[in-house]
């Protein structure tokens, strides 16, 4: 009888290890996501040095979260500055994320056919491309607050 209980417990543990609950897997994968879902309460967004209003920030965050990931750009050691300060006339939206232990900065460059994002955290830099018509066409109202 006791062997039966031990076998059932071992089988249950093996089952949990081979297919853990989706909530645990989702949390673990989200910690390493290149394009994370952002919470508008944990971020500040600036454009050309001016903060976006609350409604615009929420709208921009929704568009950013809904954007489709296209591809990741390779950044070789020593070339980080080329991605952080590209030679372009496009003024980026700058997203600063501060929540718990995380501090990240996203530079969002909107072009006609895609959106480029440069993500900087700690001393690391990553760059990738998104597809989002809403982000490409996003405009801010004239009433920017400082």
């Amino acid at each position: 009888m006791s062997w039966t209980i031990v076998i059932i417990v071992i089988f249950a543990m093996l089952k949990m290890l081979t297919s853990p609950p989706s909530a645990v897997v989702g949390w673990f994968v989200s910690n390493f996501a290149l394009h994370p879902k952002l919470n508008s309460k944990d971020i500040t967004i600036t454009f050309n040095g001016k903060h976006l209003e609350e409604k615009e920030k929420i709208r921009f965050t929704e568009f950013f979260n809904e954007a489709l990931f296209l591809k990741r750009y390779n950044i070789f050691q020593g070339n980080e500055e080329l991605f952080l300060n590209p030679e372009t006339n496009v003024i980026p939206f700058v997203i600063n994320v501060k929540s718990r232990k995380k501090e990240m900065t996203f530079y969002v460059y909107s072009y006609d056919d895609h959106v480029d994002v440069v993500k900087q955290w700690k001393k690391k830099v990553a760059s990738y491309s998104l597809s989002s018509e809403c982000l490409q066409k996003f405009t801010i109202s004239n009433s920017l607050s400082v």
Side-chain angles (χ1 to χ4, degrees):
M1 177 84 166
S2 63
W3 286 104
T4 308
I5 295 173
V6 171
I7 291 174
I8 291 174
V9 169
I10 290 173
F11 179 73
M13 291 175 76
L14 285 174
K15 179 73 174 159
M16 286 291 287
L17 290 174
T18 57
S19 60
S22 60
V24 174
V25 172
W27 171 82
F28 184 76
V29 170
S30 69
N31 283 336
F32 299 102
L34 181 62
H35 180 65
K37 302 290 184 205
L38 301 178
N39 185 345
S40 61
K41 296 175 184 175
D42 298 332
I43 65 173
T44 58
I45 303 175
T46 57
F47 180 74
N48 205 14
K50 301 189 184 202
H51 292 283
L52 266 64
E53 291 181 2
E54 192 65 28
K55 289 180 183 179
E56 292 172 331
K57 181 174 83 166
I58 291 170
R59 196 166 54 109
F60 188 89
T61 305
E62 288 174 1
F63 295 155
F64 185 83
N65 290 340
E66 293 170 0
L68 299 175
F69 181 87
L70 291 178
K71 65 180 178 178
R72 180 180 183 153
Y73 299 120
N74 293 323
I75 300 179
F76 300 105
Q77 192 172 16
N79 291 345
E80 294 91 352
E81 195 61 33
L82 296 174
F83 287 87
L84 289 172
N85 299 310
E87 294 180 14
T88 181
N89 294 332
V90 177
I91 299 171
F93 287 91
V94 180
I95 305 172
N96 291 310
V97 180
K98 290 184 182 176
S99 67
R100 296 185 200 138
K101 299 177 189 175
K102 294 181 184 180
E103 286 193 29
M104 293 182 276
T105 303
F106 293 88
Y107 301 93
V108 181
Y109 297 89
S110 296
Y111 298 100
D112 292 335
D113 58 343
H114 70 285
V115 176
D116 283 339
V117 179
V118 179
K119 176 182 172 182
Q120 182 180 23
W121 70 109
K122 297 180 185 176
K123 294 184 179 181
K124 299 176 185 177
V125 177
S127 180
Y128 56 95
S129 181
L130 299 174
S131 175
S132 172
E133 284 188 36
C134 296
L135 277 179
Q136 290 166 222
K137 297 176 181 177
F138 185 82
T139 58
I140 53 178
S141 65
N142 294 333
S143 60
L144 287 175
S145 61
V146 177

